[in-house]
Amino acid sequence: DQQVKQNSPSLSVQEGRISILNCDYTNSMFDYFLWYKKYPAEGPTFLISISSIKDKNEDGRFTVFLNKSAKHLSLHIVPSQPGDSAVYFCAASVKTGANNLFFGTGTRLTVIP
Amino acid sequence: NAGVTQTPKFRILKIGQSMTLQCAQDMNHNYMYWYRQDPGMGLKLIYYSVGAGITDKGEVPNGYNVSRSTTEDFPLRLELAAPSQTSVYFCASRSGANTGELFFGEGSRLTVL
């Protein structure tokens, strides 16, 4: 009953190239989406979010795209840097500030120097 | 800046033992959360609190209890440890109802044998 799915457990990208991490969801009530980054032995840290009223949100090298009809979102990192190597979690909730965030299983990104 | 602090970082319990995972935040956040992350899975919400004296169940509350006597502290109690509670536990907080951004602690790895 995983409502948020990240089907690629891992991704390797050359430094300087684009990283694209994908996330699918099944609950049409989800209205707010976030990406978190996690380094080993640390807690997740917030990266970027998007509300369903938008289809794109950008913050520096990070851009999140939302396709509501396909129930799909993606995180683009351009250009990728070795320090971006981490596990990336997609999360969703029924509204901004809802108490229950539903997390995906994560994608491990490795950026090769 | 301490942020969200969890103790202990590691613990091994025997079946049937009890213990408390401690969580403290120094950001004056009203909202606090406990998540667990099982291998290969996303984080799942155990309990949350929207302020001192107020707690509520999340997605997977069975086998756990919480209390919130102060704004700063949100301990998670395991009364009768079971192997199914072997997991990594994350405490998190956020500042208010209008943001989805969570601040996480570093996690507590619990093994029940």
Side-chain angles (χ1 to χ4, degrees):
Chain A
D1 64 339
Q2 190 76 18
Q3 297 187 56
V4 178
K5 300 177 184 180
Q6 294 176 257
N7 292 320
S8 298
S10 62
L11 174 69
S12 291
V13 171
Q14 288 290 134
E15 180 179 2
R17 306 295 289 268
I18 184 171
S19 295
I20 300 176
L21 296 97
N22 293 305
C23 177
D24 298 293
Y25 61 95
T26 57
N27 189 341
S28 58
M29 299 298 291
F30 286 150
D31 194 43
Y32 183 64
F33 305 88
L34 308 92
W35 285 92
Y36 282 82
K37 178 165 85 170
K38 185 182 179 306
Y39 293 117
E42 294 184 11
T45 54
F46 171 76
L47 197 54
I48 193 169
S49 64
I50 188 167
S51 163
S52 64
I53 61 173
K54 295 185 174 182
D55 55 16
K56 176 182 172 181
N57 190 25
E58 205 168 343
D59 184 1
R61 296 185 297 113
F62 302 91
T63 303
V64 56
F65 294 92
L66 175 62
N67 182 335
K68 284 183 292 184
S69 60
K71 295 193 183 71
H72 177 83
L73 62 155
S74 60
L75 175 69
H76 293 210
I77 306 174
V78 183
S80 300
Q81 299 174 354
D84 297 329
S85 297
V87 177
Y88 289 78
F89 291 98
C90 169
S93 67
V94 296
K95 61 177 182 177
T96 306
N99 284 303
N100 200 357
L101 279 183
F102 293 86
F103 283 82
T105 53
T107 297
R108 181 179 301 278
L109 173 67
T110 302
V111 180
I112 304 163
Chain B
N1 303 352
V4 178
T5 303
Q6 291 182 234
T7 56
K9 286 189 169 39
F10 302 94
R11 182 74 187 266
I12 297 175
L13 281 181
K14 294 183 179 178
I15 294 172
Q17 286 185 320
S18 301
M19 76 158 298
T20 300
L21 297 175
Q22 302 291 344
C23 175
Q25 53 90 11
D26 62 359
M27 298 174 282
N28 201 33
H29 286 173
N30 282 323
Y31 293 73
M32 295 188 74
Y33 304 84
W34 275 105
Y35 282 88
R36 60 178 284 175
Q37 186 189 15
D38 299 331
M41 302 294 288
L43 284 74
K44 291 191 185 296
L45 182 64
I46 306 171
Y47 268 96
Y48 67 95
S49 168
V50 300
I54 307 169
T55 62
D56 209 346
K57 296 177 180 179
E59 200 179 345
V60 290
N62 291 344
Y64 306 95
N65 278 301
V66 292
S67 58
R68 184 91 183 274
S69 55
T70 67
T71 299
E72 294 77 21
D73 300 298
F74 190 41
L76 178 72
R77 177 100 180 139
L78 286 73
E79 289 295 346
L80 291 170
S84 61
Q85 293 177 304
T86 294
S87 190
V88 180
Y89 292 83
F90 290 100
C91 179
S93 71
R94 67 182 169 113
S95 57
N98 293 321
T99 173
E101 179 183 352
L102 296 176
F103 294 83
F104 283 88
E106 293 183 344
S108 299
R109 183 177 293 276
L110 176 66
T111 302
V112 182
L113 300 174

